[in-house]
PDB file of all heavy atoms in Angstrom:
ATOM      1  N   GLN A   6      59.789 -20.765  63.690  1.00 37.00           N
ATOM      2  CA  GLN A   6      58.402 -21.070  64.007  1.00 37.00           C
ATOM      3  C   GLN A   6      57.693 -19.904  64.656  1.00 37.00           C
ATOM      4  O   GLN A   6      56.525 -19.677  64.426  1.00 37.00           O
ATOM      5  CB  GLN A   6      58.352 -22.290  64.906  1.00 37.00           C
ATOM      6  CG  GLN A   6      58.741 -23.521  64.117  1.00 37.00           C
ATOM      7  CD  GLN A   6      59.192 -24.608  65.013  1.00 37.00           C
ATOM      8  OE1 GLN A   6      58.737 -24.685  66.136  1.00 37.00           O
ATOM      9  NE2 GLN A   6      60.078 -25.430  64.543  1.00 37.00           N
ATOM     10  N   VAL A   7      58.456 -19.170  65.433  1.00 35.00           N
ATOM     11  CA  VAL A   7      57.848 -17.992  66.042  1.00 35.00           C
ATOM     12  C   VAL A   7      57.426 -17.029  64.946  1.00 35.00           C
ATOM     13  O   VAL A   7      56.322 -16.519  64.910  1.00 35.00           O
ATOM     14  CB  VAL A   7      58.858 -17.314  66.993  1.00 35.00           C
ATOM     15  CG1 VAL A   7      58.251 -16.042  67.535  1.00 35.00           C
ATOM     16  CG2 VAL A   7      59.226 -18.251  68.114  1.00 35.00           C
ATOM     17  N   LYS A  26      33.090 -10.959  55.600  1.00 34.00           N
ATOM     18  CA  LYS A  26      32.066 -10.657  56.595  1.00 34.00           C
ATOM     19  C   LYS A  26      31.664  -9.199  56.546  1.00 34.00           C
ATOM     20  O   LYS A  26      30.543  -8.839  56.836  1.00 34.00           O
ATOM     21  CB  LYS A  26      32.610 -10.955  57.996  1.00 34.00           C
ATOM     22  CG  LYS A  26      32.469 -12.399  58.385  1.00 34.00           C
ATOM     23  CD  LYS A  26      33.280 -12.650  59.628  1.00 34.00           C
ATOM     24  CE  LYS A  26      34.047 -13.938  59.459  1.00 34.00           C
ATOM     25  NZ  LYS A  26      35.168 -14.032  60.346  1.00 34.00           N
ATOM     26  N   GLY A  56      13.039 -42.110  51.472  1.00 29.00           N
ATOM     27  CA  GLY A  56      14.258 -41.514  50.937  1.00 29.00           C
ATOM     28  C   GLY A  56      13.984 -40.548  49.816  1.00 29.00           C
ATOM     29  O   GLY A  56      14.850 -39.778  49.419  1.00 29.00           O
ATOM     30  N   GLY A  58      12.161 -38.008  49.810  1.00 25.00           N
ATOM     31  CA  GLY A  58      11.824 -36.664  50.250  1.00 25.00           C
ATOM     32  C   GLY A  58      12.665 -35.587  49.619  1.00 25.00           C
ATOM     33  O   GLY A  58      12.145 -34.594  49.115  1.00 25.00           O
ATOM     34  N   GLN A  84      19.930 -40.443  41.819  1.00 69.00           N
ATOM     35  CA  GLN A  84      20.743 -41.626  41.577  1.00 69.00           C
ATOM     36  C   GLN A  84      21.299 -42.191  42.875  1.00 69.00           C
ATOM     37  O   GLN A  84      21.504 -43.374  43.010  1.00 69.00           O
ATOM     38  CB  GLN A  84      21.927 -41.269  40.682  1.00 69.00           C
ATOM     39  CG  GLN A  84      21.610 -41.366  39.209  1.00 69.00           C
ATOM     40  CD  GLN A  84      22.735 -40.752  38.389  1.00 69.00           C
ATOM     41  OE1 GLN A  84      23.834 -40.569  38.902  1.00 69.00           O
ATOM     42  NE2 GLN A  84      22.436 -40.423  37.159  1.00 69.00           N
ATOM     43  N   LEU A 106      43.160 -34.606  73.345  1.00 98.00           N
ATOM     44  CA  LEU A 106      42.997 -35.945  73.910  1.00 98.00           C
ATOM     45  C   LEU A 106      44.241 -36.153  74.779  1.00 98.00           C
ATOM     46  O   LEU A 106      45.311 -36.437  74.272  1.00 98.00           O
ATOM     47  CB  LEU A 106      42.926 -36.985  72.788  1.00 98.00           C
ATOM     48  CG  LEU A 106      42.661 -38.412  73.232  1.00 98.00           C
ATOM     49  CD1 LEU A 106      41.233 -38.581  73.725  1.00 98.00           C
ATOM     50  CD2 LEU A 106      42.951 -39.387  72.096  1.00 98.00           C
ATOM     51  N   ALA A 116      55.549 -33.585  83.199  1.00 96.00           N
ATOM     52  CA  ALA A 116      56.878 -32.975  83.199  1.00 96.00           C
ATOM     53  C   ALA A 116      57.061 -32.086  81.967  1.00 96.00           C
ATOM     54  O   ALA A 116      57.565 -30.963  82.056  1.00 96.00           O
ATOM     55  CB  ALA A 116      57.936 -34.066  83.225  1.00 96.00           C
ATOM     56  N   LEU A 145      31.760 -33.597  73.098  1.00 98.00           N
ATOM     57  CA  LEU A 145      32.470 -34.513  72.205  1.00 98.00           C
ATOM     58  C   LEU A 145      32.681 -35.852  72.923  1.00 98.00           C
ATOM     59  O   LEU A 145      32.564 -36.921  72.309  1.00 98.00           O
ATOM     60  CB  LEU A 145      33.813 -33.909  71.788  1.00 98.00           C
ATOM     61  CG  LEU A 145      34.578 -34.686  70.717  1.00 98.00           C
ATOM     62  CD1 LEU A 145      33.870 -34.617  69.374  1.00 98.00           C
ATOM     63  CD2 LEU A 145      36.008 -34.168  70.579  1.00 98.00           C
ATOM     64  N   ARG A 177      46.446 -30.689  52.134  1.00 97.00           N
ATOM     65  CA  ARG A 177      45.361 -30.332  51.207  1.00 97.00           C
ATOM     66  C   ARG A 177      45.486 -31.054  49.878  1.00 97.00           C
ATOM     67  O   ARG A 177      44.497 -31.535  49.324  1.00 97.00           O
ATOM     68  CB  ARG A 177      45.358 -28.824  50.965  1.00 97.00           C
ATOM     69  CG  ARG A 177      44.734 -28.049  52.098  1.00 97.00           C
ATOM     70  CD  ARG A 177      44.902 -26.558  51.859  1.00 97.00           C
ATOM     71  NE  ARG A 177      44.179 -25.793  52.851  1.00 97.00           N
ATOM     72  CZ  ARG A 177      44.534 -24.567  53.231  1.00 97.00           C
ATOM     73  NH1 ARG A 177      45.590 -23.975  52.688  1.00 97.00           N
ATOM     74  NH2 ARG A 177      43.819 -23.932  54.130  1.00 97.00           N
ATOM     75  N   GLY A 226      31.942 -25.434  44.312  1.00 89.00           N
ATOM     76  CA  GLY A 226      31.510 -24.081  44.634  1.00 89.00           C
ATOM     77  C   GLY A 226      31.946 -23.654  46.015  1.00 89.00           C
ATOM     78  O   GLY A 226      32.262 -24.470  46.871  1.00 89.00           O
ATOM     79  N   PRO A 292      14.653 -23.064  62.964  1.00 93.00           N
ATOM     80  CA  PRO A 292      15.337 -23.489  64.190  1.00 93.00           C
ATOM     81  C   PRO A 292      15.956 -24.878  64.026  1.00 93.00           C
ATOM     82  O   PRO A 292      15.551 -25.648  63.181  1.00 93.00           O
ATOM     83  CB  PRO A 292      14.215 -23.520  65.228  1.00 93.00           C
ATOM     84  CG  PRO A 292      12.966 -23.653  64.439  1.00 93.00           C
ATOM     85  CD  PRO A 292      13.205 -23.019  63.107  1.00 93.00           C
ATOM     86  N   SER A 308      25.469 -23.805  58.174  1.00 97.00           N
ATOM     87  CA  SER A 308      25.367 -23.608  56.722  1.00 97.00           C
ATOM     88  C   SER A 308      25.614 -24.928  55.991  1.00 97.00           C
ATOM     89  O   SER A 308      24.907 -25.267  55.036  1.00 97.00           O
ATOM     90  CB  SER A 308      26.392 -22.574  56.247  1.00 97.00           C
ATOM     91  OG  SER A 308      26.112 -21.309  56.809  1.00 97.00           O
ATOM     92  N   MET A 313      23.651 -29.538  52.885  1.00 96.00           N
ATOM     93  CA  MET A 313      23.590 -30.998  52.743  1.00 96.00           C
ATOM     94  C   MET A 313      22.151 -31.495  52.770  1.00 96.00           C
ATOM     95  O   MET A 313      21.812 -32.461  52.099  1.00 96.00           O
ATOM     96  CB  MET A 313      24.391 -31.666  53.870  1.00 96.00           C
ATOM     97  CG  MET A 313      25.881 -31.416  53.758  1.00 96.00           C
ATOM     98  SD  MET A 313      26.838 -32.366  54.970  1.00 96.00           S
ATOM     99  CE  MET A 313      26.185 -31.782  56.490  1.00 96.00           C
ATOM    100  N   ASP A 333      51.243 -18.794  72.678  1.00 87.00           N
ATOM    101  CA  ASP A 333      51.211 -18.265  74.045  1.00 87.00           C
ATOM    102  C   ASP A 333      49.770 -18.214  74.543  1.00 87.00           C
ATOM    103  O   ASP A 333      48.832 -18.389  73.761  1.00 87.00           O
ATOM    104  CB  ASP A 333      51.886 -16.887  74.133  1.00 87.00           C
ATOM    105  CG  ASP A 333      51.400 -15.962  73.052  1.00 87.00           C
ATOM    106  OD1 ASP A 333      50.239 -16.111  72.621  1.00 87.00           O
ATOM    107  OD2 ASP A 333      52.169 -15.086  72.623  1.00 87.00           O
ATOM    108  N   ARG A 376      51.442 -30.139  68.245  1.00 96.00           N
ATOM    109  CA  ARG A 376      52.369 -29.181  68.849  1.00 96.00           C
ATOM    110  C   ARG A 376      53.413 -29.912  69.683  1.00 96.00           C
ATOM    111  O   ARG A 376      53.236 -31.062  70.081  1.00 96.00           O
ATOM    112  CB  ARG A 376      51.597 -28.131  69.645  1.00 96.00           C
ATOM    113  CG  ARG A 376      50.521 -27.464  68.786  1.00 96.00           C
ATOM    114  CD  ARG A 376      49.953 -26.211  69.383  1.00 96.00           C
ATOM    115  NE  ARG A 376      50.834 -25.071  69.219  1.00 96.00           N
ATOM    116  CZ  ARG A 376      50.935 -24.345  68.100  1.00 96.00           C
ATOM    117  NH1 ARG A 376      50.223 -24.655  67.023  1.00 96.00           N
ATOM    118  NH2 ARG A 376      51.745 -23.314  68.051  1.00 96.00           N
ATOM    119  N   ASN A 381      56.507 -24.142  75.843  1.00 91.00           N
ATOM    120  CA  ASN A 381      57.511 -23.085  75.720  1.00 91.00           C
ATOM    121  C   ASN A 381      57.316 -22.010  76.780  1.00 91.00           C
ATOM    122  O   ASN A 381      57.866 -20.923  76.663  1.00 91.00           O
ATOM    123  CB  ASN A 381      57.465 -22.462  74.322  1.00 91.00           C
ATOM    124  CG  ASN A 381      56.206 -21.638  74.087  1.00 91.00           C
ATOM    125  OD1 ASN A 381      55.445 -21.370  75.025  1.00 91.00           O
ATOM    126  ND2 ASN A 381      55.968 -21.224  72.869  1.00 91.00           N
ATOM    127  N   LEU A 392      46.506 -34.824  66.048  1.00 98.00           N
ATOM    128  CA  LEU A 392      45.331 -35.636  66.377  1.00 98.00           C
ATOM    129  C   LEU A 392      44.298 -35.480  65.262  1.00 98.00           C
ATOM    130  O   LEU A 392      43.923 -34.364  64.916  1.00 98.00           O
ATOM    131  CB  LEU A 392      44.738 -35.154  67.700  1.00 98.00           C
ATOM    132  CG  LEU A 392      43.408 -35.781  68.138  1.00 98.00           C
ATOM    133  CD1 LEU A 392      43.618 -37.219  68.574  1.00 98.00           C
ATOM    134  CD2 LEU A 392      42.804 -34.979  69.289  1.00 98.00           C
ATOM    135  N   GLU A 407      47.940 -45.919  66.751  1.00 96.00           N
ATOM    136  CA  GLU A 407      48.847 -46.114  67.877  1.00 96.00           C
ATOM    137  C   GLU A 407      49.328 -44.783  68.414  1.00 96.00           C
ATOM    138  O   GLU A 407      49.709 -43.895  67.639  1.00 96.00           O
ATOM    139  CB  GLU A 407      50.043 -46.955  67.416  1.00 96.00           C
ATOM    140  CG  GLU A 407      50.984 -47.351  68.533  1.00 96.00           C
ATOM    141  CD  GLU A 407      52.340 -47.795  67.994  1.00 96.00           C
ATOM    142  OE1 GLU A 407      52.418 -48.150  66.800  1.00 96.00           O
ATOM    143  OE2 GLU A 407      53.311 -47.777  68.775  1.00 96.00           O
TER     144      GLU A 407
END
Side-chain angles (χ1 to χ4, degrees):
Chain A
Q6 290 159 30
V7 176
K26 276 168 224 160
Q84 272 169 17
L106 184 71
L145 187 69
R177 282 174 173 152
S308 296
M313 292 187 300
D333 48 30
R376 306 194 78 81
N381 70 10
L392 173 72
E407 186 198 340

